[in-house]
Amino acid sequence: MPSIMPIFGTRPEAIKMAPIVAALHESELFDCVVTVTGQHREMLDQVNELFGIVPDHDLDILQQRQSLSAIMTRTIDGLDKLFAQKKPDAVIVQGDTTTSTAGAIAAFYHGIPVVHVEAGLRSGDLFSPFPEEANRKITSQIASLHLAPTSVSRDNLLAEGIKPEDIVVTGNTVIDALLTTVGKKIPFTDPQLENLAAGGRKILLVTTHRRENQGDAMRGVGRALARIADAEPDLVIVLPVHKNPAVREAVLPALEGKLNVLVTEPLAYGEFTRLLSHAHVVLTDSGGVQEEAPSLGKPVLVMRDNTERPEAVDAGTVTLIGTDEERIFKEVDRLLHDQDHFDSMAQAVNPYGDGRAAHRTVAAITQLLGLGLRVADFTV
Ligand code: UD1
Ligand code: UDP
């Protein structure tokens, strides 16, 4: 039985890999050997616990305030030793984290085919998001199978000379994860969130973590949130704050003492998606949240100047607003007080998937290994 090794290390990779791990186990065609790098720790373990994933191998590489080079070298070193013992028939990497690209490079050096999930996203700016745009381009150079979530990402790959027969459009597995989780109404651990979900107050759900926003830009985000909190006493701002100390140091000081700002630890995925379903407006620099919120009909303001996810911008449910303090304040204010504008953005659209991306992923791997036929691409 061929052995397939999904490799992941951060929260979003785990969320997006979980449906694939489940589908690999169900297919009974493969031995699925899960390897985590531990680039994240608490935030990774939280996801694995929810989806019942017990890693076969854990490189446990996390260091506080880790450098990109440390993530890269510690991952490649750990995988080099593991591949020498285990020799998987293919590895699966997801997205554009440093775990993902290091996994692809280590596998490539061992002559192991690389399956790249969420392939072909491009912002067009090598430095934004940093280092993700470079990571994803590097992985595209060495992958054997490119699983593009949408036709836009497939076209990006074709434009870079990737052969059409090596690309399958699967949809994004984040929608599989969302659809299997959001309906479960998982109880909130924090009673304040349970009260919020039961009550009628509008929720502004905020997440921020991007490396290129850390420092001054993120301090400005904190100040903008403080101004919104003062101007809108009936609104509740919920900020499940990333574990990264650099994020906490930048965004939290301005929010101290604000009674309508609820800062929480990172929420378990089931709790986060439930909160998302109760949110009025979402303000974020996250990739995954940009994909999930439109599916639930939530207007999303993205605190970035560009995006590799243009589909929901084109559909009108996502607006790119950058990180300027005044602009953030004004865009939130407009969504809260201009009903026509809110209604135009609060449309449920599903450009990123139909919940069957993991099934298409496993079918594509089956074809790669000569065990099955190509499946039809995902279309909207
Ligand atoms: C990483 C990814 C980014 C992804 C993000 C998702 C890279 C370069 N960056 O960024 O693409 O969007 O994850 O959240 O791959 N920390 C903990 N515990 C955790 C997680 C993080 O303590 O569970 C702290 C550590 O101090 C760590 C720091 O956060 O050094 C930063 O983590 P890191 O993975 O380097 O970067 P992220 O900004 O999380
Ligand atoms: N998420 C979560 N708990 C939180 C915040 C986010 O489970 O407190 C989920 C969210 O639903 C999405 C993913 O984490 O699926 C996004 O992760 P993140 O923003 O860290 O990374 P990105 O998607 O930007 O790479």
Side-chain angles (χ1 to χ4, degrees):
M1 189 184 280
S3 94
I4 308 293
M5 185 180 285
I7 300 170
F8 52 98
T10 66
R11 168 172 68 191
E13 293 167 87
I15 291 166
K16 291 171 171 180
M17 201 70 96
I20 298 173
V21 171
L24 282 170
H25 283 310
E26 257 169 44
S27 86
E28 295 179 353
L29 279 174
F30 306 109
D31 184 18
C32 172
V33 183
V34 172
T35 296
V36 296
T37 63
Q39 176 178 335
H40 286 175
R41 189 72 278 162
E42 302 89 337
M43 289 164 58
L44 171 71
D45 297 345
Q46 231 179 3
V47 180
N48 284 339
E49 193 184 318
L50 175 73
F51 289 103
I53 296 173
V54 181
D56 298 281
H57 306 284
D58 188 341
L59 305 182
D60 201 17
I61 64 159
L62 175 99
Q63 294 173 322
Q64 286 306 317
R65 298 176 194 265
Q66 57 205 354
S67 71
L68 297 174
S69 299
I71 305 170
M72 178 64 80
T73 53
R74 286 159 71 82
T75 297
I76 292 184
D77 188 46
L79 290 177
D80 188 38
K81 294 176 179 119
L82 187 64
F83 291 157
Q85 292 165 13
K86 295 292 166 189
K87 304 188 190 334
D89 293 287
V91 304
I92 311 177
V93 296
Q94 198 288 332
D96 50 25
T97 66
T98 296
T99 280
S100 169
T101 300
I105 292 171
F108 181 73
Y109 285 166
H110 277 259
I112 301 167
V114 174
V115 177
H116 187 201
V117 171
E118 199 183 75
L121 275 63
R122 298 287 185 268
S123 72
D125 179 349
L126 196 59
F127 298 96
S128 174
F130 178 88
E132 290 82 3
E133 179 80 352
N135 281 349
R136 47 173 92 112
K137 290 180 88 166
I138 293 166
T139 302
S140 293
Q141 295 304 306
I142 54 183
S144 296
L145 175 60
H146 309 257
L147 301 178
T150 67
S151 57
V152 171
S153 39
R154 177 201 52 213
D155 292 349
N156 289 336
L157 292 166
L158 291 173
E160 290 176 12
I162 308 291
K163 287 188 269 170
E165 58 269 30
D166 296 336
I167 308 172
V168 177
V169 183
T170 56
N172 198 310
T173 56
V174 80
I175 303 299
D176 302 30
L178 177 69
L179 296 181
T180 54
T181 309
V182 75
K184 290 186 178 160
K185 299 218 164 18
I186 290 173
F188 291 111
T189 316
D190 183 339
Q192 296 183 87
L193 290 175
E194 205 59 68
N195 290 340
L196 261 186
R201 290 176 77 184
K202 285 181 180 166
I203 299 171
L204 173 67
L205 178 57
V206 185
T207 78
T208 180
H209 72 82
R210 299 242 75 86
R211 272 181 193 250
E212 67 275 11
N213 285 350
Q214 286 164 20
D216 281 347
M218 216 173 267
R219 277 189 283 279
V221 171
R223 286 192 303 273
L225 293 178
R227 280 178 62 193
I228 296 165
D230 289 342
E232 304 289 340
D234 293 336
L235 180 77
V236 182
I237 300 177
V238 184
L239 173 66
V241 69
H242 197 282
K243 277 282 177 200
N244 193 338
V247 172
R248 293 177 178 219
E249 285 158 12
V251 81
L252 295 186
L255 302 175
E256 264 174 42
K258 303 282 174 205
L259 295 178
N260 56 341
V261 178
L262 177 56
V263 176
T264 73
E265 286 299 312
L267 296 175
Y269 186 61
E271 297 191 40
F272 185 80
T273 53
R274 187 172 162 215
L275 186 60
L276 193 56
S277 74
H278 284 283
H280 188 64
V281 172
V282 180
L283 177 67
T284 190
D285 60 17
S286 161
V289 177
Q290 269 179 79
E291 294 157 341
E292 293 162 336
S295 176
L296 300 176
K298 305 298 173 181
V300 189
L301 299 174
V302 172
M303 296 182 284
R304 288 178 49 192
D305 297 322
N306 60 26
T307 183
E308 54 291 310
R309 295 167 168 90
E311 295 87 347
V313 178
D314 293 343
T317 64
V318 167
T319 308
L320 296 178
I321 63 167
T323 50
D324 177 65
E325 179 186 333
E326 185 63 21
R327 175 104 196 259
I328 293 172
F329 181 82
K330 281 194 172 145
E331 294 285 351
V332 171
D333 180 77
R334 188 172 170 212
L335 273 171
L336 292 176
H337 299 292
D338 179 343
Q339 190 63 39
D340 288 345
H341 179 55
F342 177 86
D343 290 344
S344 72
M345 285 188 74
Q347 309 285 341
V349 294
N350 283 302
Y352 297 112
D354 59 359
R356 301 212 18 98
H359 163 81
R360 293 190 192 91
T361 298
V362 173
I365 295 170
T366 308
Q367 188 205 10
L368 174 74
L369 298 183
L371 301 171
L373 297 174
R374 191 182 168 100
V375 285
D377 279 356
F378 161 70
T379 50
V380 180

